[in-house]
Amino acid sequence: MNKKVDVRDLLSEELPSDSRHARQLVRRQMIAETVIAEGSIRIEDLTERFGISLMTAHRDVDELVSRGLFRKTRGIVSAAPTSLIESSDVYRATKQAKEKKAIAKAAMRFVEPGQAIFLDDATTVHEMTAFLPAKVPLTIITNSLVLINELKDVNDVNLICLGGQFYNWCNAFMGHITTNEIRRLRADTVFMSLSAIVGDAVYHQSPETVETKRAMFESSAKRVLLADHTKFERRALHHFATLQEFDAVVVDEDIPISHLSRMRSAGINVIVADAERSA
């Protein structure tokens, strides 16, 4: 990536003029992409590449280091192990944006006014927030700080926020306090996504994430998995569930036909999202 990037030009459109936080988040996502692609980079080089001051560059890098994405030593920032990078909400938010939007819109067919629904901290699930106001009134239960902040001012949404131990790398609450709260509730539907699909089973690299999502899974009458095609190319350590345990699996149009045929032959309810209709 040798081309210089002026973040002010890239962010001049599609973001509210007063959204300083949104611009900061996108800039950090771009920095994350750059460091991941190159492996390591001098912090001073980030100032020229992104048109920012040295102080801003250090502040952005320090935030990404605190999330476990990078290591910072003697003015150089380096990528952390891949498993940590792929877990981070900053990294995940940059990937397959068009596909995630299409999947989120297709998943809305499972939302009806008056329902209580679990939304996990997945970035694909986060894309559903744009469509939820059309389905109110709703009770929404989530452990995601990002979703809490986005939904707190939506009219006719009864927002139930799950507490517990806060995990910076995913911007969410997890652990036994969170799962204890979840198990005291009963929702109509849970919408979730995980890291990897191997065969007909779903996996994630974080045991805390698996524990929290499993509690939501078991406390819901209906389970909907959102999975873009890249999930079928990955591996993760901890088993979560089989695809047959979900009531529906929503995928994007780029899913290989071999995976689609295998799942449908196994009786899995697979819905392919139409990217054009989501635009």
Side-chain angles (χ1 to χ4, degrees):
M1 297 181 64
N2 296 320
K3 184 179 179 181
K4 296 178 183 177
V5 178
D6 189 337
V7 71
R8 291 166 295 186
D9 293 338
L10 291 175
L11 303 183
S12 61
E13 299 178 354
E14 300 182 354
L15 284 174
S17 59
D18 62 344
S19 183
R20 179 177 175 274
H21 176 73
R23 292 171 181 270
Q24 180 186 72
L25 177 60
V26 174
R27 184 181 66 243
R28 288 174 179 174
Q29 291 171 349
M30 293 167 62
I31 290 173
E33 286 286 289
T34 300
V35 177
I36 290 165
E38 300 190 12
S40 64
I41 190 170
R42 295 172 67 246
I43 296 175
E44 287 185 358
D45 292 341
L46 294 175
T47 65
E48 182 179 2
R49 188 168 298 191
F50 292 99
I52 57 178
S53 69
L54 185 60
M55 181 180 295
T56 298
H58 275 283
R59 186 163 54 241
D60 287 347
V61 167
D62 287 343
E63 171 63 20
L64 297 169
V65 169
S66 75
R67 291 170 176 262
L69 269 174
F70 301 145
R71 297 187 180 95
K72 175 183 171 184
T73 54
R74 297 182 181 178
I76 296 176
V77 57
S78 303
T82 302
S83 61
L84 292 178
I85 291 170
E86 291 183 350
S87 295
S88 168
D89 66 318
V90 173
Y91 174 79
R92 289 180 289 130
T94 68
K95 312 306 290 183
Q96 285 74 52
K98 181 179 72 173
E99 293 90 337
K100 289 175 180 179
K101 181 179 178 181
I103 290 169
K105 187 169 185 179
M108 291 302 298
R109 72 183 66 184
F110 298 103
V111 180
E112 296 295 338
Q115 286 185 331
I117 61 175
F118 278 114
L119 301 179
D120 75 359
D121 63 288
T123 54
T124 309
V125 173
H126 173 242
E127 292 293 331
M128 293 178 66
T129 58
F131 308 111
L132 289 169
K135 295 281 190 169
V136 296
L138 290 168
T139 294
I140 298 176
I141 314 158
T142 185
N143 66 321
S144 167
L145 185 59
V146 176
L147 266 66
I148 290 169
N149 286 328
E150 291 208 13
L151 296 172
K152 61 184 174 65
D153 295 321
V154 177
N155 292 331
D156 295 321
V157 166
N158 177 30
L159 183 60
I160 298 178
C161 308
L162 298 168
Q165 183 174 347
F166 182 70
Y167 286 75
N168 198 312
W169 58 263
C170 61
N171 246 337
F173 299 91
M174 296 189 292
H176 73 276
I177 296 175
T178 312
T179 56
N180 286 343
E181 288 188 26
I182 293 169
R183 290 179 181 130
R184 297 174 63 183
L185 302 170
R186 184 69 176 173
D188 294 289
T189 309
V190 60
F191 297 88
M192 62 172 52
S193 185
L194 289 100
S195 299
I197 298 173
V198 182
D200 288 335
V202 189
Y203 294 80
H204 199 280
Q205 59 265 35
S206 163
E208 296 87 1
T209 300
V210 168
E211 178 188 18
T212 305
K213 290 176 188 275
R214 188 72 200 184
M216 292 182 180
F217 187 88
E218 293 173 350
S219 296
S220 302
K222 182 175 289 186
R223 297 95 172 241
V224 180
L225 178 68
L226 313 185
D228 69 74
H229 65 278
T230 65
K231 307 290 186 184
F232 295 84
E233 303 166 0
R234 298 177 182 169
R235 297 290 183 270
L237 183 61
H238 300 281
H239 178 270
F240 177 80
T242 65
L243 293 178
Q244 287 87 346
E245 293 179 76
F246 287 90
D247 294 277
V249 178
V250 188
V251 299
D252 65 273
E253 292 178 320
D254 290 331
I255 183 172
I257 190 65
S258 58
H259 291 305
L260 186 60
S261 299
R262 187 189 73 252
M263 288 189 292
R264 286 181 168 164
S265 296
I268 297 164
N269 179 23
V270 185
I271 296 164
V272 180
D274 187 337
E276 292 184 0
R277 291 182 183 176
S278 70

